[in-house]
Amino acid sequence: MKLVIVAVGQRMPDWAQSAYDDYAKRFPPELRVELKTVKTEPRGAKTVETVMAAERERIVAALPKGCRVVVLDERGAQLTTKALAQQLKAWQLGGDDVALVIGGPDGLEPAFREAAHQRIRLSDMTLPHAMVRVLLIEQLYRAWSINANHPYHRE
């Protein structure tokens, strides 16, 4: 199984890229993590709807065929770390690749968001996109460590 993080926006600050890379290399071979970035649509005189539609097309093109789509959404289900570990285990047992989608500055197109298999949120607070990537991969690693009885997560 592969976890694919699809994130709108190309460049992360060096500190965030370094933190992301550190967690990404910790995953075992049986649970690969891949980051696919898609270009943010330039705003200009375009409407928010037009911007989100263009970003949706890029997101859809980046999704692995037949994957389970999970969007990060402020209105999504709030999971504890242990609940995320159980969810990760279920995803692994299901066998399909899972794409976790992080929207751009305007969020995700409502129809795309609603069509996703799942909607989850990382926090009740608004977070910078670079922080979301780092927090997401850290929590996925922590979830894996719980399931693997690895000492990273201590109770």
Side-chain angles (χ1 to χ4, degrees):
M1 181 196 140
K2 179 170 48 172
L3 294 171
V4 179
I5 298 172
V6 179
V8 177
Q10 296 86 342
R11 177 111 169 92
M12 285 202 301
D14 290 342
W15 65 266
Q17 188 65 56
S18 178
Y20 180 92
D21 292 343
D22 181 59
Y23 284 107
K25 71 182 178 189
R26 296 181 189 194
F27 283 85
E30 67 272 10
L31 183 60
R32 295 172 293 142
V33 179
E34 179 182 351
L35 175 65
K36 290 186 177 184
T37 58
V38 298
K39 183 180 176 214
T40 305
E41 180 68 12
R43 173 66 67 77
K46 298 174 187 157
T47 66
V48 171
E49 292 78 15
T50 302
V51 168
M52 287 192 294
E55 291 173 352
R56 180 207 66 231
E57 289 179 19
R58 293 182 187 117
I59 291 166
V60 169
L63 296 173
K65 298 280 187 236
C67 71
R68 179 173 193 80
V69 177
V70 180
V71 298
L72 274 66
D73 177 34
E74 65 187 349
R75 294 163 296 278
Q78 186 171 354
L79 300 177
T80 65
T81 298
K82 287 188 177 186
L84 180 60
Q86 290 301 312
Q87 183 62 78
L88 179 61
K89 188 182 293 185
W91 291 336
Q92 287 180 287
L93 290 172
D96 292 330
D97 291 341
V98 175
L100 295 120
V101 181
I102 303 168
D106 295 305
L108 294 165
E109 182 185 54
F112 176 79
R113 188 177 60 234
E114 293 304 316
H117 295 101
Q118 285 178 265
R119 289 172 296 286
I120 61 174
R121 72 173 179 254
L122 291 179
S123 173
D124 287 336
M125 294 182 272
T126 301
L127 302 170
H129 279 73
M131 189 70 75
V132 169
R133 292 184 197 187
V134 173
L135 182 57
L136 176 60
I137 196 160
E138 189 280 336
Q139 284 297 293
L140 290 169
Y141 179 73
R142 185 175 296 274
W144 169 82
S145 74
I146 290 169
N147 293 339
N149 293 314
H150 186 278
Y152 180 78
H153 179 80
R154 294 182 180 90
E155 295 194 51

